[in-house]
Amino acid sequence: MPAPWRRRKLWRDLVDGLPQGLPEAGDEGLEKTHTWGRTYWGGSLYCFLADLRIREQTSNARSFDDVMRAVVATGADVEVHWDLARFLDVGDAATGTHVLHDAYRELALAPGTVDLAALWRRLGVAVDARRVAFDDGAPLASIRRSMASR
């Protein structure tokens, strides 16, 4: 497990950064956005939510890491072009879920909003101006810990 200061930094960076990936008025989803912040942080939000939901649906047995391992196992590398549908199919098959397809419909094809404040509470992450605190009694605390492990 990373040093405590690294875990605190990870969660502070997510709490501070992910809101930049949320849709604004008139947003039509990640597929149609052209702003840097929405593209970068929206993609980060997609991956974060996918990882969290995969872990929830598999009782923490699978994660977004399994998606990436499955892609690599096909022999794909930076010189191989895949369409998005293939990535979503391979990733969902690897995790035994429909998380990637569902999150894509929710966040890329529509503006889809995420209640980050509620999510932080469920994960047991509290951030203020001076510190980051963790609640190990939170419903998703075990998932939070596994997300921050090596």
Side-chain angles (χ1 to χ4, degrees):
M1 173 140 323
W5 69 268
R6 286 191 176 150
R7 285 192 302 276
R8 287 190 301 272
K9 180 170 179 7
L10 165 74
W11 290 105
R12 176 172 294 285
D13 289 350
L14 289 170
V15 168
D16 290 347
L18 289 180
Q20 297 174 68
L22 294 172
E24 295 180 4
D27 193 301
E28 297 180 50
L30 288 171
E31 283 286 355
K32 295 185 180 179
T33 192
H34 301 289
T35 63
W36 176 89
R38 174 78 166 119
T39 299
Y40 177 86
W41 284 106
S44 297
L45 180 60
Y46 172 88
C47 292
F48 177 78
L49 284 177
D51 188 36
L52 176 66
R53 291 172 180 175
I54 290 166
R55 290 171 189 269
E56 278 186 286
Q57 290 183 24
T58 66
S59 299
N60 225 2
R62 297 275 182 262
S63 72
F64 201 82
D65 293 346
D66 294 292
V67 171
M68 300 312 294
R69 284 187 200 101
V71 170
V72 170
T74 68
D77 61 25
V78 297
E79 295 186 20
V80 176
H81 176 76
W82 279 21
D83 64 15
L84 182 62
R86 184 174 179 196
F87 174 79
L88 299 176
D89 290 344
V90 167
D92 278 347
T95 62
T97 70
H98 299 286
V99 166
L100 297 182
H101 279 91
D102 293 347
Y104 180 76
R105 280 190 296 278
E106 178 186 342
L107 299 173
L109 300 179
T113 190
V114 178
D115 185 348
L116 289 172
L119 188 57
W120 303 137
R121 283 190 301 277
R122 290 178 61 218
L123 286 163
V125 176
V127 176
D128 64 29
R130 295 184 348 260
R131 66 184 190 95
V132 176
F134 301 116
D135 174 6
D136 285 336
L140 300 181
S142 65
I143 289 177
R144 180 199 72 236
R145 287 188 301 271
S146 69
M147 291 176 93
S149 67
R150 294 196 185 263

